[in-house]
Amino acid sequence: MKGRFALWLFAVTVFWTLLWSGQRAVWGDSVLDWEAARGLLHEGSLSIGASIRPDLHLGAGGRYYVKYPLFQTLPLVPAAVLFEACLAGQSFPPPWSFLAMTLPAALLAGWGVVGLWLFLARLEVPAKEAGTAALMAFLSSPWWVYGRCYFGENLQAGMACWLLWAWLGTRRAGANTFWLGLWGGLCLNCKPTFALWLLVLLADQVSLGRRHKDLPQRLTYGLLGCAPGLFLLLGYNLYRYGDALRIGYDYGRDQDLGFATPLWVGLHGLLLSSGKSVFLYAPALLLLPAAARYWLGRWRRETQLIGLMCLLQLGLVSCWWAWAGDWAWGPRLVVVLLPLLCALVYAARPRGARWLCALGLAVNFLGVLVPAGVYFRQTLALNQGMIQHRELVLDDSLLIHYVPDFSPIVGHAWMLGLKFGLAGEPWRFRNVQEWTPTKLEDFSLDLWWGSDPSSVALWLVLLLGLGGSGVALYRSN
């Protein structure tokens, strides 16, 4: 029964994600990973032949290497294979080629939602309620938007859920920590910030080991599990840089600025700003205090440790020079936290959770339908024109982050309205003459849908698959 429920939960997530997938699965930072994946396919090297951006590392043989971890690049290898296979004999990419490119990302999203469900099940949430909470967290947070593309946040969110699932399995005496170590080591190949999580979990295992008098066993199995991930991490660093301990964030702005943002500035941006507040992109988090009281009464220590891990990551990202994670939808660098916290809120059943999840779904629909990159390109020159002495401003999207008229949520709603004949840019009352756009960059809704027979047939298959798996999920418990 449990296996069938997981299967249908996975299927619902994948079908939904594919149905709403777009034509821009690769853009922004993920372009570097895409080119590295194509380098592996065509050159036999996980690298790029030309310096397409300043933050690439020039390695042996004149090849350039990306700074991002290995697991952020690997999902793009099957995506590139599928996309190039669809292009065979085609002069122009057919609509369904973008659907094929999104398939690996959608599978990762489904796998992550199942991990979130299993995590909630270990917190003794009934299977059906846990499944609903996991789906609501996916749909009402930016995870859904990132499940359609190849920024690393989709993978990180899933890895975080599976890591915490493994951790909850170590609460009793004599528990095998191999799976915790395994997932922990693999997480390090997704994002360096997972090191903070692992330090908290290691301290917890030491405390549990002393209490249950099985500390050597816990540490031994945990280290054995962590070994493959550490081997991959150090080996990939050695392959790229010739230095196993180098992680790649040591040049350009990463080196010059690093953690130069004052903590209070980043916290204000991530919590209260009009452009990047987590509460705008995941409104269910407004009920986090009520949910915290609920979980503290049932799983006090676990709730405290999860809260500590979230606060540590929030604090670290707040101090990073690019705390906003642009160009991207929402507060990208803390997206890994949002579905986990939204699921805990929904599972606690506070009053108003469903309405806030519905609001979150509507907000993130804007990120699905309107390409984030198009909005940023449309407004970047305009908002820079309002800044005197631009060379003194580190945040090149200052007004998008802090002026409500320029909030991406407002801007995406405006651009979507243009498709239906509505007019009037949201910043028109700012009364700056050179700031009035005369024309908007032509854009199409970010959907793969096409009008050719093959696309229509695929759309119907996905719709039927979503409906059928949804009914099966409802009946499987």
Side-chain angles (χ1 to χ4, degrees), residues 374-439:
V374 173
Y375 176 68
F376 274 91
R377 283 194 298 272
Q378 171 66 20
T379 57
L380 183 61
L382 303 178
N383 79 78
Q384 283 191 341
M386 284 290 289
I387 302 173
Q388 296 180 354
H389 304 294
R390 279 175 288 172
E391 69 279 3
L392 302 179
V393 179
L394 300 181
D395 188 347
D396 61 4
S397 302
L398 191 64
L399 301 182
I400 294 175
H401 295 161
Y402 291 109
V403 177
D405 308 51
F406 282 85
S407 171
I409 295 174
V410 175
H412 280 226
W414 161 61
M415 293 180 70
L416 187 61
L418 290 177
K419 290 294 183 182
F420 298 96
L422 302 179
E425 61 278 359
W427 54 81
R428 62 189 180 278
F429 298 115
R430 290 295 167 186
N431 196 28
V432 178
Q433 194 171 29
E434 63 270 21
W435 227 24
T436 303
T438 56
K439 63 179 181 178

Side-chain angles (χ1 to χ4, degrees), residues 158-401:
M159 292 294 289
C161 296
W162 283 95
L163 174 67
L164 294 181
W165 166 80
W167 166 59
L168 289 180
T170 67
R171 315 313 295 155
R172 62 188 183 279
N176 189 333
T177 56
F178 176 84
W179 290 108
L180 176 59
L182 179 64
W183 284 112
L186 296 179
C187 281
L188 291 176
N189 289 272
C190 298
K191 194 73 172 180
T193 50
F194 273 116
L196 291 174
W197 295 45
L198 297 187
L199 288 175
V200 173
L201 297 182
L202 175 60
D204 176 60
Q205 291 305 305
V206 171
S207 176
L208 286 173
R210 288 177 175 173
R211 183 191 310 168
H212 297 305
K213 303 185 186 305
D214 59 356
L215 181 58
Q217 174 187 332
R218 287 176 180 269
L219 295 182
T220 299
Y221 280 108
L223 183 60
L224 287 174
C226 195
L230 288 176
F231 177 80
L232 285 173
L233 177 67
L234 298 177
Y236 190 50
N237 288 341
L238 188 63
Y239 168 75
R240 292 183 291 179
Y241 309 124
D243 182 351
L245 299 180
R246 183 179 177 186
I247 62 173
Y249 288 81
D250 56 356
Y251 46 86
R253 282 191 169 187
D254 295 341
Q255 181 184 44
D256 297 338
L257 302 176
F259 294 96
T261 304
L263 175 63
W264 68 271
V265 172
L267 281 177
H268 173 268
L270 292 171
L271 298 179
L272 300 174
S273 69
S274 58
K276 289 292 179 176
S277 170
V278 297
F279 301 109
L280 294 175
Y281 295 89
L285 297 186
L286 292 169
L287 298 175
L288 200 55
R293 288 196 298 271
Y294 174 88
W295 290 111
L296 283 170
R298 289 161 174 78
W299 296 84
R300 186 173 188 83
R301 181 173 176 80
E302 290 74 13
T303 302
Q304 290 172 339
L305 290 174
I306 291 172
L308 177 59
M309 287 185 282
C310 292
L311 288 175
L312 286 174
Q313 176 143 352
L314 184 64
L316 186 71
V317 171
S318 295
C319 294
W320 186 238
W321 72 270
W323 59 268
D326 279 327
W327 291 10
W329 176 252
R332 179 171 63 87
L333 299 183
V334 294
V335 162
V336 63
L337 307 177
L338 304 188
L340 170 67
L341 295 176
C342 286
L344 290 172
V345 167
Y346 193 90
R349 300 185 295 275
R351 182 177 299 178
R354 291 184 179 182
W355 290 106
L356 288 177
C357 283
L359 178 60
L361 187 147
V363 166
N364 289 291
F365 233 127
L366 296 174
V368 167
L369 296 176
V370 178
V374 173
Y375 176 68
F376 274 91
R377 283 194 298 272
Q378 171 66 20
T379 57
L380 183 61
L382 303 178
N383 79 78
Q384 283 191 341
M386 284 290 289
I387 302 173
Q388 296 180 354
H389 304 294
R390 279 175 288 172
E391 69 279 3
L392 302 179
V393 179
L394 300 181
D395 188 347
D396 61 4
S397 302
L398 191 64
L399 301 182
I400 294 175
H401 295 161

